[in-house]
Amino acid sequence: DSALRTPHSAFPPKGRLLGVDLGTVRTGLAVCDPDRRLASALETYTRRGPAIDAAYFRKLAAAERAVGWVVGLAILMNGDEGPKAKECRAFGKWLAEATGLPVAFHDERCTTAAAESFLWDAGLTHKMRKERRDRVAAQLILQAFLDAGCPPG
């Protein structure tokens, strides 16, 4: 759905993308290979404030040689955008400004629940699931974006 994404002309045809599962406190992060075939969970970042967060995301993008971001967009089950989607869009705008990299949005419905299910099936304890849930959700968002052929290339 084109309403979920910014135009992809800003993304180069190849290069690593970083996936983001935005949370109020913790933000899950994932990365894909330069050919954009496979997303991998990366880490969970605890938000600290705009200046510190901006420095962190700039450093992460440089370390991963990223060419863009894919931010999960919290769409309601009926397909509408609620307050959380507005937060995601505002964060994406801020992230683009903070890092100078283009941002696309991708529907993240059910990714946290799916991540929890995968981690439960792996036999992880509650504490271990909590530590990994956000980055696995980011991985699922980024992989779904890649699997949908977004961006084309």
Side-chain angles (χ1 to χ4, degrees):
D1 179 31
S2 61
L4 298 179
R5 300 185 299 271
T6 56
H8 296 300
S9 57
F11 278 147
K14 288 196 176 230
R16 293 165 72 105
L17 300 174
L18 290 163
V20 180
D21 178 47
L22 181 65
T24 306
V25 176
R26 288 181 311 278
T27 297
L29 298 159
V31 65
C32 71
D33 62 288
D35 291 327
R36 300 185 185 154
R37 290 193 179 101
L38 183 64
S40 302
L42 191 59
E43 58 189 75
T44 302
Y45 175 71
T46 301
R47 296 171 69 187
R48 294 169 174 85
I52 293 171
D53 293 355
Y56 168 81
F57 287 116
R58 280 193 296 273
K59 183 178 175 184
L60 176 66
E64 294 295 334
R65 298 176 314 281
V67 299
W69 299 92
V70 177
V71 175
L73 190 60
I75 303 290
L76 301 174
M77 291 310 277
N78 67 3
D80 291 343
E81 290 190 21
K84 188 67 179 169
K86 287 177 180 44
E87 278 181 47
C88 294
R89 287 201 185 275
F91 176 81
K93 182 177 187 294
W94 172 86
L95 187 61
E97 292 167 359
T99 64
L101 294 176
V103 172
F105 297 93
H106 195 73
D107 186 347
E108 69 166 26
R109 275 180 281 194
C110 304
T111 55
T112 300
E116 177 71 15
S117 178
F118 288 139
L119 295 169
W120 179 267
D121 290 346
L124 299 178
T125 65
H126 173 73
K127 182 179 179 189
M128 293 170 80
R129 289 194 314 273
K130 183 178 177 183
E131 290 172 359
R132 292 167 174 81
R133 184 181 309 122
D134 298 311
R135 70 185 93 155
V136 172
Q139 177 186 4
L140 294 173
I141 292 164
L142 183 54
Q143 189 65 55
F145 182 80
L146 299 174
D147 290 348
C150 309

